[in-house]
Amino acid sequence: MKIKRILKGVLKLTSVVILLALFVGIIALFIAYWRSTNDCDKAIPSNPMKAIVYCDYGLANLKLKEIEKPTPNDDQILVKVHAASVNPYDWHFVEGTPKIMRLMGVGLRKPKDTRLGVDFAGTVEAVGKSVTQFKPGDDVFGGKGGAFAEYVCRRAEGAVALKPANITFQQAASVNIAGITALQALRDKGNVQPRQKVLINGASGGVGTFAVQIAKSFGAEVTGVCSTRNVDLVRSLGADHVIDYTKEDFAKDERRYDVILDNVPNHSLSECRRILNPNGKYVMIGGGGPNDSRWIGPFGRVINTMLLSPFVSQKMGMMMADTSQKDLTILGDLIQSGKVKPVIDRTYKLSEVPAAIAYLEEGHARGKVIITME
Ligand SMILES: NC(=O)c1ccc[n+]([C@@H]2O[C@H](COP(=O)([O-])OP(=O)(O)OC[C@H]3O[C@@H](n4cnc5c(N)ncnc54)[C@H](OP(=O)(O)O)[C@@H]3O)[C@@H](O)[C@H]2O)c1
């Protein structure tokens, strides 16, 4: 009887502690939400440049504003941006979705970082005193947060490399995220070897158009999946087979693959496994489109993929691109040699970034969407 009473007491106390912790947690979250702010109230710039700024989440809150032009630190270069490119990454930040991102430090009520854009190409205007690999006048391309702007400062040893001479600034601006994602997915996650069969789902978008060409440069037999209007484009990039998803479902096909690169995870993992060879690799790249869960986006599928992988013969996993100077240089060489050619869909002005992001959000870009500086 006594033990029963003690147990009941402990249970009551535990419930009270849990409820209290929950209450404190909710209050803390509420305070953090209302205190969440950003640098939008900064003073008028003394040395201005134009940039896209968003003080609140939502496409309607994107504004072309004058902000302070950056000055390079000792290890940085100042680049006059000629072109930038848009990625699905940008609309995730504009919308603050999946909303779990906001809890992970992106900003609960307002975006913490008010600048947008990553991929850029331009000309070096000034260098910090410890920079040796670049000089003023060099044409470069790479990645840096806040690339929808007239200037960016970037660490010279980070994701920036000399622009291949045989492409325009607009083409060079398209490379960073999409090209590096395709390269790392095929080389590091897919470990693609000559004559292997590679399926690229979503072959006509930013990542897909790079992936088809890079997989061909590795000597693979490439199958690209796209809609009718993009069949000729994907074939022209070198794909050996093209599946028009409006007419044929690749998951119901008899063909088997060594590697699947999935930019559009619209088939179940078991469907993907069925068309993979026993030692094949499934590399999940995309997910979290506008029609996915606005709270967790692709994370549910990522967890399922990770949980499944140890129990099946095939390797299943998600990849996250890690931009670097080394891989930009490799891509630059592939472009210079003519093995890879960036595909440009549409070009917008800096003031038209909201329209460019809205277009990309529709999910049917053909290659890359570019921003040019007025
Ligand atoms: N993990 C990473 O590090 C990483 C890096 C970059 C991007 N991503 C993600 O990868 C995905 C692709 O990025 P992206 O830059 O290539 O996007 P994107 O340029 O917007 O690509 C859209 C492409 O998807 C195709 N598509 C749409 N529905 C399709 C379907 N049912 N079947 C096959 N293709 C379909 C479209 O072709 P049609 O017009 O022919 O339908 C279009 O060409 C996004 O989800 C992005 O968030 C991930």
Side-chain angles (χ1 to χ4, degrees), residues 193-245:
Q193 301 299 315
R195 289 177 296 284
Q196 279 194 324
K197 293 183 169 54
V198 176
L199 176 92
I200 297 165
N201 188 25
S204 53
V207 176
T209 48
F210 279 104
V212 170
Q213 300 178 77
I214 296 170
K216 282 306 294 176
S217 80
F218 289 174
E221 183 182 325
V222 177
T223 301
V225 183
C226 61
S227 65
T228 315
R229 72 185 186 116
N230 291 323
V231 168
D232 288 344
L233 166 71
V234 173
R235 196 167 284 128
S236 76
L237 297 174
D240 301 279
H241 317 280
V242 183
I243 297 177
D244 177 347
Y245 69 76

Side-chain angles (χ1 to χ4, degrees), residues 141 163-168 171-172 174-176 179 210 213-214 328-342:
F141 72 117
K163 178 180 89 62
N166 60 340
I167 55 169
T168 62
Q171 287 173 308
S174 76
V175 177
N176 180 55
F210 279 104
Q213 300 178 77
I214 296 170
L328 280 175
T329 308
I330 290 172
L331 285 164
D333 291 345
L334 281 169
I335 291 168
Q336 191 69 56
S337 68
K339 289 182 178 153
V340 171
K341 191 173 174 210

Side-chain angles (χ1 to χ4, degrees), residues 87-88 92 177 181 201-202 204-208 225-227 229-230 245 263-264 266 285-287 318-321 360 363-365 367:
N87 290 285
H92 282 301
I177 288 189
T181 303
N201 188 25
S204 53
V207 176
V225 183
C226 61
S227 65
R229 72 185 186 116
N230 291 323
Y245 69 76
N263 293 311
V264 193
N266 55 353
I285 294 177
M318 159 85 182
M319 71 86 56
M320 283 306 291
L360 194 77
H364 295 288

Side-chain angles (χ1 to χ4, degrees), residues 3-21:
I3 290 180
K4 217 173 168 182
R5 232 181 305 135
I6 292 172
L7 274 177
K8 257 188 181 169
V10 170
L11 216 67
K12 249 188 202 165
L13 196 71
T14 316
S15 317
V16 170
V17 169
I18 290 173
L19 278 175
L20 211 67

